[in-house]
Amino acid sequence: MSTVCIVIVDPYSSGATLAESLRARGAECVAVISSQMLPETMRTRFDPEQFREVIQHDGQLEMTANAIRRHQPMSVIAGFESGVELAEQLSVNLGLPGNGTSKPTARRDKFIMTKAVHESGLRTAHQLLSRDVKEMLSWIRESVGWPVIVKPVDSVASDCVFCCHCDDQVRHAAETILSTASVLGIQNEKVLVQEFLAGVEYAVDTVSYDGQRKLTAIWQYDRPTDAEDFICYDAMRLLPYDGDRQRTLRDFAFAALDALEIRFGPAHCELMWVDGEPCFIEVGARLSAGVNATISRTCGGICQLDETVDAILAPDRFLASLNDQLSLAKLAANVFLIPPRKGRLIRTRGLDELRRLPTLHSMSVASEPGTELAHVAGLVTLIDADENAIEQDMDVIRSLERAGMFEVEERT
């Protein structure tokens, strides 16, 4: 076969845009579905027509590798969090570039991931892995104090993440986690308890080829302080590439990737700035979700999606631009719309006002009556060269929320 073929494991969310971009550059793609247990809500944007073949993995690595081998692929890459481990196993089996399997669970299991980064000498949160609530409470009192973060070891998109301030909240969080499956359809067997880090949170987006790395974007999270329920963040702001803090965050993120042996492909590293220095939270060895993988391109910089495609199809070009000086012509913010409570949507107000925002780039807002709302009911992306203009539009959005943008059914 003369056409270049790329295998994408679980090409969902931003992983679907990876298939589109590879095809636009003349490659063909094969999809591997890692599990039938993944809920339909996680399989967003998947289009089977984008792929030469769609292969269902049934747990037999060699069978899946043989099904792929006949396409003579040049790379295997994860399109979504659920595909990270399988993509690495397949790349090793097929002798293709990848991150290897010497740390088989360190890129998905948050406890093992944090332990590996800590052992490399980088600052991490203190943590405990257990399913015994008494052990958790004893550890909290003796080691870290209140509050604490309680979550599954393989959570995605802030799924089942609790901020606990007392014994009863820990008991409730642990019971909830252990009695449910994750959003990836995996039964939670243990609970991860970590110290609460009070600081400013960042995400550092990167792409690597053979251990050589590029910074593609840095995002600063806004964490609401007045929400009744704990919300990890309700907005993300794209930062300029240059700056003392940005350089420190970049160097720390690159060192964390070294510790986890992430040497190929995209990753985003979440860090907390605490006491004047970065502290590790977690890494996703995949493209950033949604529009985040491309927004920095729209703002005049490079973007994670394009650089990933270069790392796969044109590594010489990727490496030749490693030391380019980067800048942004515009800034951006992703504003997450927060409903007053979980429940069934009755109506959505203020959509016309959102459409008239001067800095509006795109929006996706729940508006169909009967839709079940959880923590987030929509996303509005704002882009402008003037940071103040973005701030003004963010204020308008929050005013609309406070005025009752989402009318949600009361539950007794």
Side-chain angles (χ1 to χ4, degrees):
M1 298 181 184
S2 58
T3 304
V4 169
C5 179
I6 310 299
V7 176
I8 306 176
V9 183
D10 292 347
Y12 311 130
S13 184
S14 53
T17 65
L18 182 57
E20 296 165 5
S21 294
L22 287 165
R23 283 168 55 87
R25 292 272 292 270
E28 292 194 10
C29 298
V30 168
V32 171
I33 308 304
S34 67
S35 171
Q36 293 179 320
M37 299 295 292
L38 190 67
E40 193 63 34
T41 54
M42 294 287 102
R43 304 185 185 210
T44 58
R45 299 194 62 177
F46 175 54
D47 178 8
E49 297 300 317
Q50 294 276 339
F51 299 93
R52 179 191 285 176
E53 184 180 3
V54 177
I55 298 169
Q56 177 67 59
H57 176 63
D58 64 358
Q60 302 296 316
L61 181 67
E62 196 61 43
M63 289 181 62
T64 301
N66 286 336
I68 292 170
R69 195 172 277 111
R70 64 175 178 267
H71 294 286
Q72 300 178 15
M74 68 178 296
S75 184
V76 179
I77 192 162
F80 191 64
E81 190 72 21
S82 55
V84 167
E85 290 181 309
L86 180 57
E88 292 170 350
Q89 293 165 2
L90 289 169
S91 65
V92 169
N93 185 287
L94 296 166
L96 299 174
N99 295 316
T101 55
S102 62
K103 296 188 175 181
T105 58
R107 300 173 201 123
R108 281 290 299 120
D109 185 305
K110 298 182 192 304
F111 177 79
I112 298 173
M113 176 189 296
T114 302
K115 185 173 183 289
V117 173
H118 178 76
E119 290 174 347
S120 76
L122 298 176
R123 180 174 177 177
T124 63
H126 296 295
Q127 61 175 0
L128 171 74
L129 184 65
S130 179
R131 57 180 296 114
D132 184 334
V133 173
K134 288 184 179 180
E135 182 185 16
M136 297 177 204
L137 294 176
S138 176
W139 179 81
I140 291 168
R141 287 189 287 267
E142 295 174 4
S143 300
V144 295
W146 303 101
V148 292
I149 298 297
V150 181
K151 60 187 180 182
V153 294
D154 60 355
S155 61
V156 177
S158 303
D159 171 48
C160 275
V161 177
F162 298 86
C163 183
C164 300
H165 295 78
C166 65
D167 291 12
D168 286 345
Q169 289 180 350
V170 170
R171 291 189 187 95
H172 170 72
E175 180 181 339
T176 301
I177 292 169
L178 292 172
S179 63
T180 60
S182 73
V183 293
L184 299 182
I186 302 169
Q187 182 62 42
N188 295 313
E189 300 292 341
K190 289 190 177 182
V191 174
L192 179 59
V193 186
Q194 293 182 323
E195 68 171 315
F196 179 85
L197 298 171
V200 181
E201 187 172 349
Y202 299 90
V204 181
D205 293 346
T206 68
V207 180
S208 303
Y209 179 82
D210 196 24
Q212 300 294 306
R213 299 194 173 88
K214 286 186 184 181
L215 167 72
T216 58
I218 297 181
W219 297 86
Q220 178 178 316
Y221 292 111
D222 284 0
R223 177 183 290 174
T225 57
D226 56 354
E228 292 185 9
D229 294 328
F230 174 69
I231 300 172
C232 294
Y233 53 87
D234 64 359
M236 302 174 66
R237 303 165 190 267
L238 181 65
L239 299 183
Y241 290 108
D242 197 33
D244 290 341
R245 181 165 297 194
Q246 288 95 316
R247 285 188 287 274
T248 301
L249 291 167
R250 177 201 62 198
D251 292 346
F252 189 101
F254 284 9
L257 298 182
D258 282 338
L260 297 170
E261 298 182 8
I262 297 175
R263 300 175 53 79
F264 180 81
H268 57 282
C269 185
E270 296 184 8
L271 309 173
M272 190 73 76
W273 191 269
V274 183
D275 302 326
E277 65 177 358
C279 182
F280 178 82
I281 300 176
E282 61 186 58
V283 162
R286 56 175 173 83
L287 285 172
S288 291
V291 299
N292 286 15
T294 58
I295 285 297
S296 51
R297 177 219 295 153
T298 306
C299 293
I302 62 174
C303 81
Q304 195 178 43
L305 176 62
D306 294 344
E307 296 302 320
T308 298
V309 173
D310 268 356
I312 295 170
L313 297 181
D316 288 346
R317 183 162 73 180
F318 176 88
L319 295 171
S321 56
L322 277 177
N323 298 316
D324 285 0
Q325 295 297 310
L326 304 175
S327 62
L328 297 175
K330 297 180 180 180
L331 297 176
N334 288 327
V335 184
F336 298 90
L337 305 179
I338 311 299
R341 68 185 70 84
K342 296 179 183 179
R344 192 179 300 276
L345 178 67
I346 297 174
R347 66 176 59 87
T348 301
R349 305 180 179 91
L351 293 176
D352 288 340
E353 288 89 338
L354 290 179
R355 295 186 185 101
R356 289 196 292 267
L357 292 173
T359 69
L360 179 68
H361 171 264
S362 60
M363 57 185 270
S364 175
V365 183
S367 59
E368 183 68 27
T371 301
E372 284 290 334
L373 300 184
H375 289 300
V376 175
L379 171 67
V380 179
T381 299
L382 309 174
I383 295 180
D384 201 272
D386 184 354
E387 184 178 2
N388 291 327
I390 292 176
E391 292 293 332
Q392 290 172 9
D393 283 356
M394 291 179 72
D395 289 342
V396 171
I397 293 170
R398 297 308 181 205
S399 295
L400 290 170
E401 284 181 326
R402 290 191 295 270
M405 174 181 286
F406 300 105
E407 183 177 347
V408 181
E409 184 179 274
E410 292 277 2
R411 290 182 173 175
T412 58

